[in-house]
Amino acid sequence: MTDVLFRIESGVATLTLNRPGKLNAFTAEMLDVFNIHLHEAAIDEAVRAVVLTGTGRAFCAGQDLGDRSVRAGDEPPDLGESLEKRYNPAIRAIRSMPKPVVVGVNGVAAGAGANIALSGDIVVAARSAKFVQAFARIGLIPDSGGTYLLPRFVGLPRAMAVAMLAEPIDAETAQEWGMIWSVVDDDELPDVVAGLASELAAGPTRGFAAIKKAMYASPGNTFDEQLDLERDLQREAGRSDDYREGVAAFLEKRPPKFSGR
Ligand code: T3D
């Protein structure tokens, strides 16, 4: 059975982490496949929205620690290399994906699994889901964007405690703190996520890509730099077929039919 399921249907690419016996923890091979599918979703013009989710009771428990035990005296694994080659490319692929990424957090999301979930554009969690910055429990720091995202989402005091105490944050708290978009009952999650993804897949794809660029550049920009970026991105969006269609549909009092071009 494959550890990452990949399906493209009606403009939506769905990547499902599928190692439920290990709470969908990542092996190196699984991350390589995950990265390949993220790349396929990014370059396939027929794909206009992406869904990330997991099978079983977990979204993902981060790195498979079975691959990380070190006997005294042995050379420890180079975790920097692992981040550089596998985790960072995945996070970068999600953030720079030129189409919306919806994450359906179906259960516990721990370690890098938590931060992969939090790096999606719209994150919906099942009510029973939990986010665990488990890293400090094994002497590590939050990676996969955790030290970037957490302070910005929840503020430094909460981010620091979440990282050091490594306590599970339940889905409702995560929403209240601004880490995620919404929480739904467990049995509703698949339909809610599919509904959001299909709505986004019928939307102005190039406009969405520009929204991502602007939003993700914002924390590192001055106000003036951001105004300049908005000008440039809006110029580009204004040349899209979808802008023309959106304005025409408004004036003709009908729903727009976006092509994603
Ligand atoms: O190393 C690098 O390349 C650098 C990058 C690092 C990124 C990282 O992600 S580091 C952080 C790694 N992840 C963790 O530390 C999380 C470890 N897991 C947990 O803390 C807990 O399992 C959970 C909080 C996720 C869930 O707890 P619970 O009580 O619901 O489940 P459980 O009983 O602990 O786990 C169920 C099974 O999944 C169990 O296996 P078993 O005993 O039934 O055969 C458990 O060992 C396995 N499992 C869970 N997480 C992992 C795992 N097996 C391997 N690796 C895991 N990460």
Side-chain angles (χ1 to χ4, degrees), residues 158-173:
R158 276 175 174 158
M160 198 66 90
V162 161
M164 287 188 172
L165 302 176
E167 284 175 3
I169 307 298
D170 63 56
E172 280 168 13
T173 304

Side-chain angles (χ1 to χ4, degrees), residues 19-23 25-26 57 60-66 68 77-80 82-83 87 108-113 130 132 134-135 137-138 140 143-144:
R19 252 187 115 211
K22 293 286 177 195
L23 303 189
F26 277 120
R57 69 177 182 87
C60 173
Q63 170 62 38
D64 187 323
L65 296 179
R68 287 289 179 269
D78 182 347
L79 304 191
S82 167
L83 294 185
Y87 286 95
V108 63
K130 286 180 290 192
V132 196
F135 307 89
R137 293 182 188 168
I138 54 169
L140 297 184
D143 59 25
S144 304

